[in-house]
Amino acid sequence: MSQSASIEQLSALRLKYHERKDAFLEENIKIKDPFVVFRDWLNDALNTKEILEPNAAALATVNAEGKPSNRFVLVKEATTEGFTFFTNYGSRKAEDIARNANVAIAIYWLPLRRSIRIEGVAEKISRDASLKYFHERPRASQIGAAASPQSQRIRSRSSLDEVEAEIKAKLGESGQVPLPNWGGYLVRPSLIEFWQGQTDRLHDRIRFRRGPGVLDEVDGELIHKGENEWVYERLAP
């Protein structure tokens, strides 16, 4: 399809994915630990010039009424503890997490035809860790975070500019920006799924799970024991 395809032609859009010889197979995973697989896939994304923000991720939350919402965030740290992002603690996502800490993250790297799904529980990181990262950000970004009451109604764009100007005037050229109501969340995963597209639409899906009772499910046929208390299984596309 050409780039000028119309909305009426959406159903005909097709993208070529991987061929069968490039299938994502269990035997290709040397260490059956999703954090190791994530690190390997992330390195591939970091070394793919077409991927401009390899740490961009869609974060889904649910409010007190059970209504979901979704938005993009930037994953700023990925360790064996989990995945960290930062936000205003007065934002909609923060309010949702305060009421229901279960979240989901999705990452899609189109040039690699790969996606990662993560489900887990979000918790605030320490204030010291948030403060450290906050002051590592460009000063303009620090001031922007202090000026913006994220997710709240504002009169206009110019009202934000006015608040920003007031903060700049108060701090001067070199005054340290105080930490606003802002900080990080660590998502501790209980599920991480790796998806790789196949042109014949028989996509590869390998899911890792960890938590109470999952090791008891291991049968060596459909559910397999991995490293560090994880189990893994292949899902139909």
Side-chain angles (χ1 to χ4, degrees):
M1 297 298 294
S2 71
Q3 293 300 312
S4 59
S6 67
I7 292 177
E8 290 74 16
Q9 295 171 305
L10 284 178
S11 64
L13 292 175
R14 293 287 184 274
L15 184 66
K16 184 176 181 180
Y17 293 123
H18 288 276
E19 299 302 329
R20 187 63 60 85
K21 65 181 177 62
D22 300 313
F24 177 47
L25 303 176
E26 290 84 346
E27 52 261 38
N28 300 140
I29 304 175
K30 295 181 176 61
I31 300 176
K32 303 298 194 294
D33 182 319
F35 291 117
V36 175
V37 182
F38 180 88
R39 182 193 63 200
D40 291 343
W41 279 29
L42 178 60
N43 283 334
D44 289 342
L46 289 167
N47 290 300
T48 302
K49 64 180 181 180
E50 294 87 355
I51 301 175
L52 302 181
E53 278 192 317
N55 59 333
L59 171 74
T61 58
V62 178
N63 69 9
E65 288 74 44
K67 296 180 179 179
S69 62
N70 202 4
R71 78 288 290 158
F72 283 95
V73 298
L74 296 177
V75 175
K76 288 297 184 177
E77 189 173 36
T79 70
T80 55
E81 292 293 310
F83 306 88
T84 301
F85 67 92
F86 292 84
T87 188
N88 187 300
Y89 284 149
S91 65
R92 178 176 177 179
K93 67 179 84 64
E95 291 179 353
D96 286 354
I97 290 170
R99 292 171 173 81
N100 185 341
N102 293 293
V103 303
I105 293 173
I107 300 171
Y108 184 44
W109 294 316
L110 174 61
L112 296 176
R113 279 45 171 184
R114 286 175 172 174
S115 178
I116 299 175
R117 292 181 56 251
I118 300 162
E119 296 177 12
V121 174
E123 61 184 51
K124 286 183 178 180
I125 66 174
S126 71
R127 187 181 188 282
D128 287 345
S130 291
L131 181 64
K132 179 178 182 295
Y133 174 72
F134 183 74
H135 285 137
E136 290 173 354
R137 305 177 85 208
R139 192 167 187 271
S141 297
Q142 296 178 41
I143 293 173
S148 175
Q150 192 177 98
S151 300
Q152 306 304 310
R153 296 183 181 90
I154 58 175
R155 295 193 315 276
S156 63
R157 168 71 202 208
S158 61
S159 66
L160 275 181
D161 296 336
E162 291 168 7
V163 175
E164 181 189 43
E166 291 172 3
I167 293 173
K168 288 181 176 179
K170 181 179 179 180
L171 295 176
E173 292 294 326
S174 58
Q176 188 177 77
V177 183
L179 180 68
N181 187 27
W182 186 100
Y185 284 96
L186 170 68
V187 178
R188 296 185 182 274
S190 56
L191 182 153
I192 304 178
E193 180 185 323
F194 299 89
W195 177 97
Q196 182 170 284
Q198 291 287 329
T199 294
D200 60 9
R201 271 32 186 189
L202 293 178
H203 308 306
D204 291 309
R205 296 175 62 189
I206 296 179
R207 181 174 68 182
F208 288 81
R209 293 183 294 122
R210 182 168 68 179
V214 297
L215 290 175
D216 296 333
E217 300 175 24
V218 172
D219 59 13
E221 182 178 352
L222 295 177
I223 305 171
H224 309 274
K225 188 176 185 297
E227 305 290 337
N228 300 314
E229 299 184 336
W230 289 95
V231 302
Y232 65 96
E233 55 215 350
R234 176 172 287 269
L235 303 180

